[in-house]
Amino acid sequence: MRRLILAALFGLSCSVAQAEQPVLLHAAGSLRNALTEVAQAFEATAKLPVKTSFGPSGLLRENLSGGQAAEVFASANMSHPLALTQEGKAGPVVLFARNETCAFARTGLEVTTQTLLARMLDPAIKLGTSTPKADPSGDYAWQIFAKAEALQPGAKAALEAKALQLVGGPNSAPTPADRNGTGHLLATGAADLFLGYCTNALPIAREQPGQRMVRLPPALAVGADYGMTVMNGASNNAYRLAMFILSPEGQRILAKHGFTAPTAPREGS
């Protein structure tokens, strides 16, 4: 009986200690606003703390692969969390959000969906992107360049040569904490056009109302599937957070920030 009581007390103390430990959430920088709000909603309902870390998905994946402490990993693509799964470091990967790539134009630049490729190729136009491999946004930009080749021979090489990899790399200049990265780069003149996630439109509209989002023509359109996984050895609370992100409330918040939320309930259901 004494042993049973001691075992029960030990289990209770472990449960309390686990509840006091924050859930470690690592997520793509493009999810900062959305998952910060999701984490706050989870903390309010589950009464559990969450510690967030945002950055380029590729760099995050390298850190997690190298053994950095982590529990939930939300990436701007499917391949980075899948790589952790294949390494035996994480569980299954689930699609939890979708995004698209758009172009963003500095204030005063005349450009439309129809003229976008010509403007991107114009030697006088500074074309900004994120950093391929380190950040999926850069990989998506390079996919756009590959598609451009079918529309105009030589476009792929020209665009790859002129693209300014301004963010998302290990040595990229930091963005002010209170500013959207894409809007900041356009406002400072680092780029005239920037290829980034369409979800940038909401914060840019608040911070830089003179800047415009331009949809890509169908022939150049590139979508982004966002994948999430839970690291091996994660706490039970980490699984609760992952489920909350997939829940109607979590998906509603993602949709509020411009993401397509694949598990969000249909209206009227």
Side-chain angles (χ1 to χ4, degrees), residues 98-116:
R98 288 191 174 97
N99 208 339
E100 293 182 53
T101 301
C102 287
F104 292 87
R106 62 165 170 78
T107 301
L109 181 66
E110 294 294 331
V111 58
T112 66
T113 297
Q114 292 71 32
T115 64
L116 180 58

Side-chain angles (χ1 to χ4, degrees), residues 24-28 53-73 80-81 83-84 87 89-90 133-134 168-170 231:
L24 303 180
L25 170 62
H26 289 68
S53 179
F54 297 98
S57 296
L59 298 184
L60 291 177
R61 194 269 306 161
E62 289 180 5
N63 292 337
L64 303 191
S65 182
Q68 184 179 40
E71 293 189 293
V72 180
F73 176 42
H80 288 316
L84 293 172
E87 292 171 7
K89 297 180 182 294
K133 297 182 180 180
M231 303 296 293

Side-chain angles (χ1 to χ4, degrees), residues 34-35 38 94-98 226 228 242-265:
L35 286 192
V38 169
V94 61
L95 171 69
F96 72 98
R98 288 191 174 97
Y226 281 47
M228 176 175 61
M243 290 300 294
F244 186 82
I245 292 172
L246 293 170
S247 74
E249 177 64 9
Q251 294 284 287
R252 182 192 67 77
I253 295 171
L254 283 163
K256 169 185 169 183
H257 287 270
F259 293 90
T260 301
T263 69

Side-chain angles (χ1 to χ4, degrees), residues 206-246:
R206 292 191 299 266
E207 300 170 17
Q208 309 287 349
Q211 297 176 10
R212 293 187 305 111
M213 184 183 80
V214 182
R215 291 281 181 181
L216 274 65
L220 296 180
V222 170
D225 289 342
Y226 281 47
M228 176 175 61
T229 189
V230 177
M231 303 296 293
N232 290 348
S235 65
N236 290 336
N237 293 335
Y239 287 93
R240 292 178 66 182
L241 174 60
M243 290 300 294
F244 186 82
I245 292 172
L246 293 170

Side-chain angles (χ1 to χ4, degrees), residues 121 142 144-150 152-161:
L121 288 165
W142 257 244
I144 292 169
F145 299 163
K147 288 190 169 191
E149 184 70 17
Q152 186 169 326
K156 178 176 182 291
L159 292 169
E160 289 181 354

